């Protein structure tokens, strides 16, 4: 009887250990997406998050690319704002503006020079972007953004 009990114990332990490797973490850090861009020659690595909302027949898709790891000076975020008519397909989104935030305050507005946005079949978005700066104060020069990329960002 003892060998049979030992065999059952080993079988149960084996099954338990084999299912532990298949468990899925659902905390925010395990689902965080990455992105990057180059700001005047400096590569910036980011965590990407997205939000979708509708207002008065217009769909808005915002992508927030937050510097990771955080800078000692505070949180730095580049926001990409895409817009389309609610009746249009997701492929119709247009990048209308990029906004640079430093510790929550907007510091630079950018116009989109070039971009791609691909709605993926799983509901995520991937794309590329680049931009020269457009700032309300002509005396302020802002960095040029190039080689921007994000992959599989889920709203």
């Amino acid at each position: 009887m003892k060998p049979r009990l030992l065999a059952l114990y080993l079988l149960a332990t084996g099954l338990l250990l084999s299912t532990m490797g298949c468990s899925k973490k659902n905390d925010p850090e395990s689902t965080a997406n990455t992105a990057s861009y180059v700001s005047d020659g400096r590569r910036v690595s980011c965590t990407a998050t997205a939000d979708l909302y509708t207002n008065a027949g217009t769909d808005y898709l915002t992508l927030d690319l937050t510097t990771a790891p955080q800078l000692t000076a505070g949180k730095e975020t580049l926001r990409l704002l895409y817009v389309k008519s609610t009746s249009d397909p997701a492929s119709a989104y247009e990048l209308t503006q990029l906004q640079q935030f430093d510790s929550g305050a907007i510091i630079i507005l950018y116009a989109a020079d070039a971009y791609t946005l691909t709605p993926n079949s799983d509901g995520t978005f991937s794309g590329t972007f680049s931009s020269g700066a457009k700032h309300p104060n002509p005396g302020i020069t802002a960095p040029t953004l190039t080689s921007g990329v994000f992959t599989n960002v889920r709203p």
Side-chain angles (χ1 to χ4, degrees):
M1 190 83 144
K2 284 188 180 185
R4 184 176 176 171
L5 209 51
L6 178 62
L8 259 155
Y9 173 75
L10 291 174
L11 179 63
T13 302
L15 286 172
L16 179 63
L17 290 174
S18 69
T19 59
M20 287 175 66
C22 297
S23 66
K24 182 179 177 185
K25 268 175 88 174
N26 286 326
D27 65 352
E29 297 196 63
S30 70
T31 58
N33 296 291
T34 58
S36 66
Y37 59 93
V38 175
S39 176
D40 277 352
R42 174 182 66 104
R43 174 149 307 276
V44 180
S45 296
C46 306
T47 300
T49 57
D51 190 28
L52 270 174
Y53 60 96
T54 301
N55 186 13
T58 303
D59 291 344
Y60 298 90
L61 169 66
T62 58
L63 292 165
D64 284 349
L65 311 181
T66 303
T67 305
Q70 291 293 314
L71 303 174
T72 55
K75 183 176 175 180
E76 181 181 89
T77 301
L78 180 65
R79 175 171 290 159
L80 285 66
L81 177 62
Y82 295 87
V83 179
K84 73 170 187 70
S85 173
T86 300
S87 61
D88 289 339
S91 59
Y93 274 111
E94 293 183 21
L95 181 58
T96 59
Q97 192 176 78
L98 294 89
Q99 304 167 338
Q100 183 77 49
F101 293 88
D102 191 3
S103 297
I106 190 166
I107 57 169
I108 302 170
L109 296 175
Y110 291 91
D113 290 338
Y115 69 94
T116 63
L117 180 69
T118 304
N120 301 315
S121 61
D122 63 355
T124 63
F125 290 90
S126 299
T128 62
F129 63 93
S130 65
S131 180
K134 176 174 86 176
H135 197 278
N137 183 343
I140 296 176
T141 57
T144 299
L145 304 178
T146 59
S147 304
V149 64
F150 55 92
T151 307
N152 300 327
V153 181
R154 181 175 304 283

Short mmCIF file of all heavy atoms in Angstrom, two decimals, residues 28 31-36 45-51 62-68 77-78 80 125 129 149-155:
data_model
loop_
_atom_site.label_atom_id
_atom_site.label_comp_id
_atom_site.label_asym_id
_atom_site.label_seq_id
_atom_site.Cartn_x
_atom_site.Cartn_y
_atom_site.Cartn_z
N PRO A 28 -0.13 44.90 -13.47
CA PRO A 28 0.16 45.86 -14.53
C PRO A 28 1.57 45.75 -15.09
O PRO A 28 1.79 45.98 -16.25
CB PRO A 28 -0.05 47.22 -13.86
CG PRO A 28 -0.88 46.96 -12.66
CD PRO A 28 -0.63 45.54 -12.27
N THR A 31 2.04 43.18 -17.91
CA THR A 31 1.39 43.47 -19.18
C THR A 31 1.88 44.77 -19.79
O THR A 31 1.36 45.21 -20.80
CB THR A 31 -0.14 43.54 -18.99
OG1 THR A 31 -0.42 44.55 -18.02
CG2 THR A 31 -0.71 42.22 -18.54
N ALA A 32 2.90 45.39 -19.19
CA ALA A 32 3.41 46.66 -19.70
C ALA A 32 4.05 46.46 -21.06
O ALA A 32 4.72 45.46 -21.31
CB ALA A 32 4.42 47.24 -18.72
N ASN A 33 3.82 47.40 -21.96
CA ASN A 33 4.38 47.36 -23.30
C ASN A 33 5.57 48.30 -23.36
O ASN A 33 5.63 49.29 -22.65
CB ASN A 33 3.32 47.79 -24.31
CG ASN A 33 2.17 46.82 -24.33
OD1 ASN A 33 2.32 45.70 -24.76
ND2 ASN A 33 1.03 47.25 -23.82
N THR A 34 6.47 48.02 -24.26
CA THR A 34 7.64 48.88 -24.39
C THR A 34 7.59 49.65 -25.69
O THR A 34 6.93 49.24 -26.65
CB THR A 34 8.94 48.06 -24.32
OG1 THR A 34 8.93 47.08 -25.35
CG2 THR A 34 9.10 47.41 -22.96
N ALA A 35 8.27 50.76 -25.71
CA ALA A 35 8.38 51.61 -26.89
C ALA A 35 9.71 52.34 -26.78
O ALA A 35 10.37 52.31 -25.74
CB ALA A 35 7.23 52.62 -26.93
N SER A 36 10.09 53.02 -27.85
CA SER A 36 11.32 53.82 -27.80
C SER A 36 11.28 54.87 -28.90
O SER A 36 10.50 54.78 -29.84
CB SER A 36 12.56 52.93 -27.95
OG SER A 36 12.60 52.36 -29.24
N SER A 45 14.01 54.88 -23.82
CA SER A 45 13.21 53.67 -23.66
C SER A 45 12.00 54.01 -22.81
O SER A 45 12.11 54.77 -21.85
CB SER A 45 14.03 52.58 -22.99
OG SER A 45 15.11 52.22 -23.81
N CYS A 46 10.85 53.42 -23.17
CA CYS A 46 9.60 53.80 -22.52
C CYS A 46 8.72 52.59 -22.22
O CYS A 46 8.85 51.54 -22.82
CB CYS A 46 8.79 54.71 -23.44
SG CYS A 46 9.65 56.15 -24.02
N THR A 47 7.78 52.82 -21.31
CA THR A 47 6.65 51.94 -21.09
C THR A 47 5.47 52.57 -21.81
O THR A 47 5.21 53.76 -21.65
CB THR A 47 6.34 51.79 -19.59
OG1 THR A 47 7.49 51.26 -18.94
CG2 THR A 47 5.17 50.88 -19.35
N ALA A 48 4.74 51.79 -22.61
CA ALA A 48 3.64 52.34 -23.40
C ALA A 48 2.29 51.90 -22.85
O ALA A 48 2.10 50.73 -22.53
CB ALA A 48 3.78 51.88 -24.85
N THR A 49 1.39 52.88 -22.72
CA THR A 49 0.00 52.59 -22.35
C THR A 49 -0.90 53.32 -23.35
O THR A 49 -0.48 54.29 -23.98
CB THR A 49 -0.32 53.06 -20.92
OG1 THR A 49 -0.04 54.46 -20.82
CG2 THR A 49 0.50 52.29 -19.89
N ALA A 50 -2.13 52.84 -23.49
CA ALA A 50 -3.05 53.44 -24.46
C ALA A 50 -4.43 53.61 -23.84
O ALA A 50 -4.80 52.91 -22.90
CB ALA A 50 -3.14 52.57 -25.70
N ASP A 51 -5.19 54.55 -24.40
CA ASP A 51 -6.56 54.79 -23.97
C ASP A 51 -7.40 55.13 -25.19
O ASP A 51 -6.94 55.86 -26.08
CB ASP A 51 -6.58 55.94 -22.95
CG ASP A 51 -7.93 56.09 -22.27
OD1 ASP A 51 -8.65 55.08 -22.15
OD2 ASP A 51 -8.27 57.22 -21.88
N THR A 62 -5.14 57.67 -27.48
CA THR A 62 -3.93 58.31 -26.93
C THR A 62 -2.96 57.22 -26.52
O THR A 62 -3.35 56.21 -25.92
CB THR A 62 -4.23 59.20 -25.72
OG1 THR A 62 -4.85 58.43 -24.70
CG2 THR A 62 -5.12 60.36 -26.09
N LEU A 63 -1.71 57.42 -26.87
CA LEU A 63 -0.63 56.52 -26.46
C LEU A 63 0.32 57.34 -25.59
O LEU A 63 0.80 58.39 -26.02
CB LEU A 63 0.13 55.99 -27.67
CG LEU A 63 -0.64 55.04 -28.57
CD1 LEU A 63 0.06 54.86 -29.90
CD2 LEU A 63 -0.81 53.71 -27.88
N ASP A 64 0.55 56.89 -24.38
CA ASP A 64 1.49 57.55 -23.47
C ASP A 64 2.76 56.71 -23.38
O ASP A 64 2.72 55.55 -22.97
CB ASP A 64 0.89 57.73 -22.08
CG ASP A 64 -0.12 58.85 -22.02
OD1 ASP A 64 -0.21 59.63 -23.00
OD2 ASP A 64 -0.82 58.98 -21.00
N LEU A 65 3.87 57.30 -23.79
CA LEU A 65 5.17 56.65 -23.73
C LEU A 65 5.93 57.30 -22.57
O LEU A 65 6.39 58.43 -22.67
CB LEU A 65 5.94 56.83 -25.04
CG LEU A 65 5.16 56.51 -26.32
CD1 LEU A 65 6.03 56.71 -27.54
CD2 LEU A 65 4.59 55.12 -26.28
N THR A 66 6.03 56.58 -21.45
CA THR A 66 6.63 57.12 -20.23
C THR A 66 8.04 56.56 -20.06
O THR A 66 8.24 55.35 -20.13
CB THR A 66 5.77 56.77 -19.00
OG1 THR A 66 4.45 57.27 -19.23
CG2 THR A 66 6.34 57.39 -17.74
N THR A 67 8.99 57.47 -19.87
CA THR A 67 10.38 57.09 -19.73
C THR A 67 10.57 56.01 -18.66
O THR A 67 10.03 56.12 -17.57
CB THR A 67 11.24 58.32 -19.36
OG1 THR A 67 11.01 59.33 -20.34
CG2 THR A 67 12.71 57.99 -19.31
N ALA A 68 11.30 54.97 -19.03
CA ALA A 68 11.59 53.89 -18.10
C ALA A 68 13.06 53.52 -18.24
O ALA A 68 13.50 53.25 -19.36
CB ALA A 68 10.71 52.67 -18.39
N THR A 77 6.87 62.03 -20.12
CA THR A 77 5.94 61.27 -20.96
C THR A 77 5.78 61.96 -22.31
O THR A 77 5.65 63.17 -22.38
CB THR A 77 4.55 61.17 -20.29
OG1 THR A 77 4.70 60.54 -19.02
CG2 THR A 77 3.58 60.37 -21.13
N LEU A 78 5.78 61.15 -23.37
CA LEU A 78 5.47 61.64 -24.70
C LEU A 78 4.10 61.06 -25.04
O LEU A 78 3.90 59.85 -25.02
CB LEU A 78 6.51 61.16 -25.71
CG LEU A 78 6.28 61.60 -27.16
CD1 LEU A 78 6.40 63.13 -27.28
CD2 LEU A 78 7.27 60.91 -28.08
N LEU A 80 1.06 60.59 -27.78
CA LEU A 80 0.68 60.62 -29.18
C LEU A 80 -0.84 60.62 -29.24
O LEU A 80 -1.49 59.77 -28.63
CB LEU A 80 1.21 59.38 -29.91
CG LEU A 80 2.71 59.34 -30.23
CD1 LEU A 80 3.55 59.26 -28.99
CD2 LEU A 80 3.01 58.18 -31.15
N PHE A 125 -2.30 47.97 -30.94
CA PHE A 125 -1.81 48.85 -31.99
C PHE A 125 -0.29 48.82 -32.01
O PHE A 125 0.35 48.75 -30.96
CB PHE A 125 -2.27 50.29 -31.75
CG PHE A 125 -3.74 50.49 -31.96
CD1 PHE A 125 -4.64 50.32 -30.91
CD2 PHE A 125 -4.23 50.84 -33.20
CE1 PHE A 125 -5.99 50.50 -31.09
CE2 PHE A 125 -5.60 51.03 -33.39
CZ PHE A 125 -6.48 50.86 -32.34
N PHE A 129 6.82 56.61 -35.59
CA PHE A 129 6.58 58.05 -35.67
C PHE A 129 7.89 58.82 -35.66
O PHE A 129 8.92 58.32 -35.21
CB PHE A 129 5.70 58.54 -34.50
CG PHE A 129 6.32 58.35 -33.14
CD1 PHE A 129 7.06 59.35 -32.54
CD2 PHE A 129 6.15 57.15 -32.46
CE1 PHE A 129 7.63 59.17 -31.29
CE2 PHE A 129 6.72 56.95 -31.22
CZ PHE A 129 7.45 57.97 -30.63
N VAL A 149 9.00 54.03 -32.13
CA VAL A 149 8.37 52.74 -32.42
C VAL A 149 7.66 52.21 -31.18
O VAL A 149 8.12 52.40 -30.06
CB VAL A 149 9.41 51.71 -32.95
CG1 VAL A 149 10.46 51.40 -31.91
CG2 VAL A 149 8.73 50.44 -33.42
N PHE A 150 6.49 51.61 -31.38
CA PHE A 150 5.75 50.94 -30.31
C PHE A 150 5.10 49.71 -30.92
O PHE A 150 4.78 49.67 -32.10
CB PHE A 150 4.71 51.85 -29.65
CG PHE A 150 3.74 52.47 -30.61
CD1 PHE A 150 2.53 51.85 -30.91
CD2 PHE A 150 4.03 53.69 -31.22
CE1 PHE A 150 1.64 52.42 -31.81
CE2 PHE A 150 3.14 54.26 -32.12
CZ PHE A 150 1.94 53.62 -32.41
N THR A 151 4.93 48.67 -30.11
CA THR A 151 4.44 47.40 -30.61
C THR A 151 3.40 46.80 -29.68
O THR A 151 3.62 46.75 -28.46
CB THR A 151 5.60 46.39 -30.78
OG1 THR A 151 6.61 46.99 -31.58
CG2 THR A 151 5.13 45.12 -31.44
N ASN A 152 2.28 46.38 -30.23
CA ASN A 152 1.24 45.65 -29.51
C ASN A 152 0.77 46.34 -28.23
O ASN A 152 0.68 45.72 -27.17
CB ASN A 152 1.71 44.23 -29.20
CG ASN A 152 2.02 43.45 -30.45
OD1 ASN A 152 1.40 43.64 -31.48
ND2 ASN A 152 3.00 42.58 -30.36
N VAL A 153 0.46 47.63 -28.33
CA VAL A 153 -0.02 48.39 -27.19
C VAL A 153 -1.54 48.23 -27.13
O VAL A 153 -2.24 48.51 -28.10
CB VAL A 153 0.38 49.87 -27.28
CG1 VAL A 153 -0.12 50.64 -26.07
CG2 VAL A 153 1.88 50.01 -27.42
N ARG A 154 -2.05 47.79 -25.98
CA ARG A 154 -3.48 47.52 -25.83
C ARG A 154 -4.17 48.65 -25.06
O ARG A 154 -3.76 48.99 -23.97
CB ARG A 154 -3.68 46.22 -25.06
CG ARG A 154 -5.17 45.87 -24.88
CD ARG A 154 -5.37 44.53 -24.22
NE ARG A 154 -4.71 43.44 -24.91
CZ ARG A 154 -5.15 42.87 -26.03
NH1 ARG A 154 -6.26 43.29 -26.59
NH2 ARG A 154 -4.49 41.87 -26.59
N PRO A 155 -5.24 49.22 -25.66
CA PRO A 155 -6.01 50.23 -24.93
C PRO A 155 -6.79 49.60 -23.78
O PRO A 155 -7.09 48.44 -23.78
CB PRO A 155 -6.97 50.78 -25.98
CG PRO A 155 -6.51 50.28 -27.30
CD PRO A 155 -5.67 49.09 -27.04
#
